[in-house]
Amino acid sequence: TGYEAALDEAVSRSSKAYDEARKYYETLLDGCDTDNLPLAIPETSEIGTGNVSLELSLSQSDVAKACERLGISANALFNSAFGYALCKLLGKDDTVYSTVYNGRDDSRKANSISMYVKTLPVRCTSGEGESIAEYVRKTDKQFLDSMANDISSFADISAAFGIGSDVLFVYQGVIFDPETLCGDKYTISEYRPESTKGAMVIQVFPTGDTFRISAEFKTELYSEELMLAILELIVQTATE
């Protein structure tokens, strides 16, 4: 259960594993530039939330083949594209943003109904001097290492390094949608909060045999036109 998992995590946070996790993030984020927000170009001064989306011209089968050839996950591929695009957008060689993963890193959590999702920082570079294969494999390894050290919470990391979740990128992967829950039919109700958590939340998720990329953003910071341009840059990067 979620309660038992929380107890187990509390024990881990008092162990040597927690100290090792802190050291891992200290090494990963040492000297990192945490100023990762693109220049604000709003259309309005009113506080609100905007939404835009685009379809990628990448088939899921082609992405799966590319990932198998490179020995990486689709999550690493799309995060690599976003990280590279973010560096180019900011005009920087190095920056950091946030992502999430399902947190089900233990087989005991497989069929448990609880919120295990964890936020992770992702350090990315402009890729100078690296091949595409080297770049995406480096991202993939960073994900695996960060997940292995997720006992150090994002709150701890944020406090220590000044990293926030204003820029959040999420690869949703396959959406799990069973016909029944505990033997009964159910209805999914979409919940949209009045304001987005960060300045921009960008997500990629499969739809049909392709993918769709969407952005939720603060309208007092960014315009719809600018966010569409950012999505197009990410799509171009992923496609190339």
Side-chain angles (χ1 to χ4, degrees), residues 206-220:
T207 173
D209 186 46
T210 58
F211 299 89
R212 180 160 287 276
I213 183 169
S214 68
E216 187 176 78
F217 57 95
K218 291 185 176 181
T219 54
E220 66 270 27

Side-chain angles (χ1 to χ4, degrees), residues 26 44 53 58 101 114 120 133 140 177-178 187 197 205 207 219 222 224-225 232 235:
E26 286 174 2
T44 176
S53 66
L58 290 171
Y101 88 106
S114 190
L120 300 173
D140 190 67
D177 185 16
T187 301
K197 179 181 178 182
F205 49 92
T207 173
T219 54
Y222 303 109
E224 183 175 308
E225 182 181 7
E232 287 170 354
V235 169

Side-chain angles (χ1 to χ4, degrees), residues 30 65 69-70 74-76 86 94-95 104 107 110 133 142 155 162 170 173 177 188 192 198-199 225 231 236-237:
D30 180 48
K65 290 176 183 176
R69 184 178 71 253
L70 292 166
N75 187 26
L86 182 62
D94 177 62
T95 191
R104 295 177 183 268
S107 60
Q142 183 183 153
V170 182
D177 185 16
I188 295 178
R192 284 189 177 275
E225 182 181 7
L231 292 190
Q236 180 183 2
T237 304

Side-chain angles (χ1 to χ4, degrees), residues 40-57:
I41 307 178
E43 283 185 345
T44 176
S45 59
E46 293 183 7
I47 296 174
T49 300
N51 293 275
V52 294
S53 66
L54 294 172
E55 187 169 336
L56 278 73
S57 59

Side-chain angles (χ1 to χ4, degrees), residues 87-131:
C87 281
K88 295 301 181 183
L89 184 65
L90 297 172
K92 296 181 177 182
D93 294 326
D94 177 62
T95 191
V96 63
Y97 65 92
S98 304
T99 191
V100 300
Y101 88 106
N102 62 26
R104 295 177 183 268
D105 54 354
D106 187 321
S107 60
R108 294 174 297 175
K109 300 175 182 177
N111 296 314
S112 174
I113 300 176
S114 190
M115 175 59 79
Y116 297 115
V117 174
K118 293 192 174 184
T119 303
L120 300 173
V122 182
R123 187 166 189 174
C124 55
T125 66
S126 60
E128 294 297 327
E130 293 178 295
S131 68

Side-chain angles (χ1 to χ4, degrees), residues 164-205:
S165 55
D166 279 326
V167 177
L168 180 68
F169 178 84
V170 182
Y171 172 68
Q172 291 289 2
V174 177
I175 303 299
F176 181 60
D177 185 16
E179 294 183 357
T180 62
L181 182 64
C182 299
D184 294 326
K185 293 282 187 178
Y186 68 95
T187 301
I188 295 178
S189 297
E190 184 177 7
Y191 171 72
R192 284 189 177 275
E194 293 183 359
S195 63
T196 183
K197 179 181 178 182
M200 63 175 69
V201 179
I202 298 176
Q203 301 184 74
V204 171
F205 49 92

